[in-house]
Amino acid sequence: MQKLVVLISGTGSNLRALLEASEDAEFPARVVAIGADREADGLLLGEEFGIPTFTVPFTAYPDRDAWGAALIEQVRQWEPDLVILSGLMRLVPPAVVDAFSPHLINTHPAYLPEFPGAHGVRDALAAGVEQTGASLIVVDNSVDGGPIIAQERVPVLPDDTESTLHDRIKPVERRLLIQAVLDIANSHLDLKELSRS
Ligand code: GAR
């Protein structure tokens, strides 16, 4: 059974999908802890699903490195096989990458390398593209430039707003994430191998 720690900043709707998937006894992974960098709404899912939560508030530390060190300490306690950034809206410092990558993965609401960063959906809309997408990547020291695990195109519709487009991207992200967790757990996907190639 693979142990997952999921880190969030927001509502955690992708996290919810993972928690629901892992209620199936056949699912080969379990979320052992949910962490956040702020008082994120998604932390309530911990109560709902009976999963421990922790918060490492970014603003409580003097700098990103100090925050990262505290985050590493919290995450390590759970001895995860995989750490998932599922809407964690912070760049993690190099020490976090060193501690967990390549078993540190991130969902992103665009077809990377297009539209990296904190506003993937807004930037795609502003660029006027006809299609964007969803990506799942290994986290490295770049901004959303790590090895791509999976990605899929999502069309942009003429009357899309940031919110309607994001709502259509998220189910794709969920599917990619759950499939990747399955593939990793069943040894059909080797993140070390992917990161070497
Ligand atoms: C997801 O779309 C995720 O890809 C994105 O935040 C959303 C979180 O939604 N992450 C990033 O943009 C990271 N750069 P959720 O809290 O409802 O799961």
Side-chain angles (χ1 to χ4, degrees):
M1 187 62 67
Q2 292 263 309
K3 292 192 277 179
L4 315 176
V5 169
V6 182
L7 301 179
I8 59 167
S9 297
T11 55
S13 61
N14 289 349
L15 163 64
R16 173 183 284 282
L18 201 52
L19 289 166
E20 285 172 354
S22 63
E23 282 187 323
D24 181 343
E26 306 276 292
F27 196 75
R30 292 285 174 271
V31 178
V32 293
I34 301 165
D37 64 323
R38 63 183 81 162
E39 286 306 322
D41 289 348
L43 287 170
L44 295 174
L45 292 171
E47 214 170 294
E48 186 179 334
F49 286 83
I51 310 285
T53 62
F54 61 87
T55 307
V56 185
F58 186 79
T59 49
Y61 295 87
D63 55 37
R64 189 175 303 276
D65 288 342
W67 171 73
L71 186 66
I72 291 169
E73 202 182 310
Q74 286 284 336
V75 172
R76 274 214 175 116
Q77 288 180 22
W78 299 98
E79 300 180 350
D81 298 293
L82 186 64
V83 181
I84 301 173
L85 308 188
S86 185
L88 182 78
M89 301 307 284
R90 298 271 175 207
L91 285 180
V92 293
V96 172
V97 175
D98 288 347
F100 304 115
S101 192
H103 300 108
L104 177 66
I105 67 176
N106 181 38
T107 61
H108 185 74
Y111 199 87
L112 292 168
E114 299 166 9
F115 312 115
H119 305 291
V121 181
R122 192 183 305 170
D123 294 346
L125 267 183
V129 292
E130 285 179 4
Q131 49 177 3
T132 180
S135 304
L136 184 66
I137 60 170
V138 174
V139 179
D140 65 9
N141 284 315
S142 66
V143 179
D144 296 327
I148 291 168
I149 299 166
Q151 59 186 168
E152 198 171 304
R153 284 289 185 190
V154 174
V156 180
L157 303 182
D159 52 358
D160 259 337
T161 62
E162 186 174 347
S163 141
T164 59
L165 180 55
H166 205 166
D167 284 350
R168 270 206 329 287
I169 292 172
K170 281 187 183 183
V172 179
E173 289 187 278
R174 287 168 204 153
R175 191 155 36 74
L176 297 180
L177 177 60
I178 288 168
Q179 187 61 50
V181 169
L182 272 171
D183 288 347
I184 292 164
N186 293 329
S187 304
H188 295 148
L189 171 62
D190 182 339
L191 294 178
K192 273 195 185 144
E193 190 70 33
L194 180 74
S195 298
R196 265 198 297 268
S197 54

